[in-house]
Amino acid sequence: MKRPQLIGLAIAATAGLMAFVMVRGMVSKPPVEKTVEIKVKSSDVLVARTDIGLGQITNDSLFRWQSWPEETVTPGFITRTGQPDAMTQLAGSIARAPIMAGEPITQTKLVKAGQGGVLAAILPAGMRAISTKIKEETAVGNLILPNDRVDVILIRRLRNARTGQEDFVSELLFGNVRVLAIGQQIETKEGKKTADSSAATATLELTARQAELLALGNSIGDISLSLRSIADLDVTQGPTAGVDPSSSRETASIRVLRYGTPSRSYGVN
């Protein structure tokens, strides 16, 4: 092979090798990562360090400050700039509702000690707590737990207009009633599937007028609780009204007058 041909071949081989190295370097070269810092305005918000149970008395170890985007901070949040001593100030408060770890603390979720007991703390404004006697056969075999929803049924005797005898009748007093406590248990303990079988009372959340009617119902008959399905729960709606036990079914009645003196009434329903 002639010298010029050898030189040309060497140049071509060298160029090919350089092109191969360059292409390989371009293919295997890792992409350049660019880090872009975006500064977001934030505020330190008071949150729960761990889960806080309903009715639990808090201390400062249950809280911590967490950076929170300023645009999502609502007026109800407690911020370090607004209340720098909030942890100390809220120590000893009672939780009005369960609070999950990392959840922002608000004034409405806690009530300060001295403003009422645990039960008073978890009662919504305008509502009353009233207890009724229960036993296994009137409380779903003691399977009702705090925060369940029940219907309240009154069983009493009314005079039969046709026979003059007294018959047992059942009436729905209230529906969708929240159970505040079974005995002295106000919160379902983790892993506990039933309430205290020895509990003799159920404490219900009712309006002031409904509390009066339940007290009346307890005096004129027997109260039973019917457990509602979780599929029917409506926590946004309070207890619904049923029959008013103060108004007897014997509304259409005959009053017998004997010598101008009224005697007892007999129903004609």
Side-chain angles (χ1 to χ4, degrees):
M1 185 178 291
K2 295 182 179 180
R3 183 185 179 94
Q5 293 177 338
L6 291 174
I7 295 174
L9 184 59
I11 294 174
T14 303
L17 181 61
M18 292 178 62
F20 172 76
V21 172
M22 291 177 63
V23 171
R24 184 178 178 183
M26 293 176 61
V27 172
S28 60
K29 187 177 181 180
V32 178
E33 295 183 358
K34 293 183 178 180
T35 303
V36 179
E37 292 186 4
I38 300 178
K39 293 185 178 180
V40 178
K41 291 185 177 180
S42 61
S43 297
D44 286 342
V45 171
L46 190 67
V47 301
R49 184 184 300 273
T50 60
D51 290 345
I52 302 175
L54 172 69
Q56 182 175 345
I57 299 176
T58 63
N59 54 60
D60 52 4
S61 65
L62 296 177
F63 307 123
R64 65 181 175 89
W65 295 107
Q66 179 173 311
S67 181
W68 208 268
E70 198 168 84
E71 59 183 10
T72 63
V73 176
T74 66
F77 287 8
I78 299 174
T79 61
R80 192 196 292 264
T81 54
Q83 291 181 251
D85 300 327
M87 289 188 184
T88 305
Q89 294 172 354
L90 294 177
S93 299
I94 301 171
R96 300 187 63 182
I99 305 174
M100 296 189 300
E103 183 179 347
I105 302 296
T106 62
Q107 299 287 357
T108 58
K109 295 177 182 177
L110 299 174
V111 59
K112 292 184 179 180
Q115 293 181 336
V118 174
L119 191 57
I122 64 177
L123 264 178
M127 303 302 288
R128 305 291 188 269
I130 183 171
S131 296
T132 183
K133 291 181 180 180
I134 59 170
K135 49 188 176 180
E136 188 172 354
E137 58 268 29
T138 63
V140 197
N142 289 328
L143 296 177
I144 298 176
L145 293 171
N147 285 318
D148 279 341
R149 297 273 173 158
V150 297
D151 292 339
V152 181
I153 301 171
L154 170 64
I155 300 176
R156 59 172 169 166
R157 291 184 177 184
L158 285 179
R159 181 173 296 279
N160 189 302
R162 292 183 296 274
T163 65
Q165 303 296 320
E166 289 187 334
D167 296 332
F168 285 100
V169 296
S170 63
E171 300 168 324
L172 178 66
L173 284 184
F174 322 110
N176 193 42
V177 178
R178 177 189 174 200
V179 179
L180 293 174
I182 296 293
Q184 294 187 347
Q185 179 185 349
I186 65 172
E187 183 180 15
T188 304
K189 302 299 182 183
E190 185 176 355
K192 192 169 185 179
K193 299 180 181 179
T194 59
D196 183 6
S197 59
S198 63
T201 59
T203 303
L204 309 179
E205 178 186 282
L206 297 170
T207 65
R209 175 57 179 163
Q210 289 169 342
E212 293 179 13
L213 297 180
L214 180 59
L216 176 61
N218 278 319
S219 66
I220 64 177
D222 296 322
I223 298 294
S224 293
L225 304 181
S226 174
L227 182 63
R228 295 175 67 96
S229 168
I230 193 172
D232 298 331
L233 292 186
D234 186 0
V235 297
T236 62
Q237 182 181 6
T240 58
V243 174
D244 186 344
S246 61
S247 58
S248 172
R249 282 189 177 181
E250 297 180 333
T251 52
S253 58
I254 299 175
R255 176 158 294 188
V256 180
L257 298 179
R258 293 181 178 176
Y259 307 106
T261 303
S263 64
R264 65 183 303 175
S265 300
Y266 296 89
V268 293
N269 54 327

